[in-house]
Amino acid sequence: MPGIYLGAILFSLVGMGLIDWKYSLALRVAPVRTTIAVLVGTAFFLAWDVVGIVTGVFVKGESPLFVGVMLAPHLPLEEVFFLLFLSYLAVVMFAVFERRATARERVPS
């Protein structure tokens, strides 16, 4: 079924956004900084993918779950959304661990 993989990524991205919003982890606290960090991370990993594609390390496997839109040879549309999700997840998890570390510092030993 075409689009299932992209749908799963988008579903996960929305879920991460809702968790972020509910607990005020990243986007609500610092929207510009969060957006820049996610976009820079996504651009970095896209460049990484391009290098891997050019050197022949990365190749696109065939799957009926892909939408079928190719942005470049061996670079499906889903890859951009996956990298966006990965970068956003990293920023949110950093905020979670930062908040936990701050909370531990406040608790007297």
Side-chain angles (χ1 to χ4, degrees):
M1 176 181 224
I4 270 278
Y5 181 54
L6 181 59
I9 293 169
L10 292 175
F11 180 78
S12 300
L13 188 59
V14 168
M16 182 60 55
L18 291 173
I19 290 168
D20 178 16
W21 191 259
K22 179 178 180 179
Y23 295 106
S24 297
L25 295 167
L27 200 54
R28 253 172 129 173
V29 176
V32 174
R33 186 173 60 190
T34 300
T35 303
I36 289 171
V38 169
L39 292 178
V40 166
T42 303
F44 171 80
F45 285 118
L46 271 174
W48 181 298
D49 277 2
V50 168
V51 170
I53 290 167
V54 168
T55 58
V57 175
F58 298 158
V59 293
K60 178 193 161 281
E62 294 301 318
S63 173
L65 304 179
F66 288 156
V67 173
V69 176
M70 299 297 290
L71 302 175
H74 302 290
L75 185 64
L77 175 66
E78 290 86 353
E79 184 71 7
V80 175
F81 286 97
F82 172 72
L83 296 175
L84 188 73
F85 170 73
L86 183 68
S87 298
Y88 187 40
L89 175 64
V91 170
V92 169
M93 291 309 297
F94 179 82
V96 167
F97 290 121
E98 186 177 48
R99 184 175 289 179
R100 287 190 66 183
T102 302
R104 282 188 178 164
E105 289 173 1
R106 290 185 195 161
V107 176
S109 302

